């Protein structure tokens, strides 16, 4: 029986930071449409992140940049990050009052195979799936 090695939280986050800064590790078809990095480069806890997703091309969401906040608290990576849209969007995984993404509805979280990149890719995939829904005026923010 093979046991999985548990990578320490800080190592996983540093790896994700490097991928975010270099723009590597984002799979096709999301390459060049997702970016992320720390809010404060001096944040030694690696807990507060900004992310951007360019909406799926040839949809009502295409050519628009959606800003998100990603929080990796002390439960991460055992539990998914908390993700919030800053700009309003109408897709099922997003709480329309707060902008919080229900990450659990997007995937079965596994600390070994999931992370910030897979979460952002799953969000962008849902944006494409539900792109025909009526959307709030672009640029309207959650409070």
């Amino acid at each position: 029986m093979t046991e999985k090695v548990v990578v320490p939280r800080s190592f996983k986050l540093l790896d994700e930071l490097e991928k975010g800064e270099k723009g590597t590790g984002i799979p096709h078809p999301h390459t060049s449409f997702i970016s992320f990095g720390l809010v404060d480069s001096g944040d030694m806890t690696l807990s507060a992140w900004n992310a951007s997703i360019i909406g799926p091309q040839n949809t009502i969401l295409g050519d628009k940049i959606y800003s998100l906040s990603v929080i990796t608290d002390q439960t991460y990576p055992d539990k998914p990050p908390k993700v919030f849209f800053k700009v309003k969007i109408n897709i099922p995984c997003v709480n329309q009052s707060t902008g919080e993404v229900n990450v659990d509805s997007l995937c079965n979280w596994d600390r070994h195979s999931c992370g910030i990149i897979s979460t952002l890719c799953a969000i962008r995939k849902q944006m494409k799936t539900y792109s025909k829904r009526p959307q709030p005026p672009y640029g309207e923010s959650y409070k």
Side-chain angles (χ1 to χ4, degrees):
M1 182 169 166
T2 305
E3 288 187 40
K4 290 186 179 180
V5 175
V6 177
V7 176
R9 177 181 186 276
S10 59
F11 287 17
K12 182 168 178 78
L13 286 167
L14 286 168
D15 180 56
E16 291 184 295
L17 176 60
E18 182 178 1
K19 288 176 180 174
E21 288 177 339
K22 292 182 178 178
T24 60
I26 299 172
H28 178 77
H30 308 292
T31 309
S32 302
F33 295 104
I34 292 174
S35 65
F36 65 99
L38 287 173
V39 170
D40 175 7
S41 62
D43 176 9
M44 301 308 278
T45 65
L46 307 173
S47 59
W49 304 69
N50 283 324
S52 296
I53 298 176
I54 297 174
Q57 303 306 292
N58 303 315
T59 72
I60 194 169
L61 302 174
D63 299 325
K64 295 179 176 97
I65 299 173
Y66 291 86
S67 299
L68 302 93
S69 295
V70 179
I71 307 300
T72 53
D73 63 18
Q74 290 302 313
T75 64
Y76 182 84
D78 294 319
K79 301 217 176 192
K82 291 178 178 48
V83 181
F84 298 86
F85 270 87
K86 294 178 184 178
V87 177
K88 287 191 175 185
I89 187 168
N90 180 18
I91 56 177
C93 67
V94 177
N95 178 310
Q96 294 303 301
S97 299
T98 64
E100 184 170 8
V101 176
N102 179 352
V103 176
D104 291 326
S105 72
L106 298 172
C107 62
N108 292 322
W109 186 261
D110 173 39
R111 74 168 293 154
H112 300 287
S113 60
C114 297
I116 295 171
I117 292 172
S118 62
T119 301
L120 296 173
C121 288
I123 292 168
R124 188 166 186 273
K125 183 177 178 185
Q126 188 163 104
M127 289 170 73
K128 182 169 183 159
T129 301
Y130 293 98
S131 64
K132 293 187 178 177
R133 283 182 163 207
Q135 296 296 320
Y138 179 68
E140 199 171 297
S141 300
Y142 290 102
K143 296 183 189 229

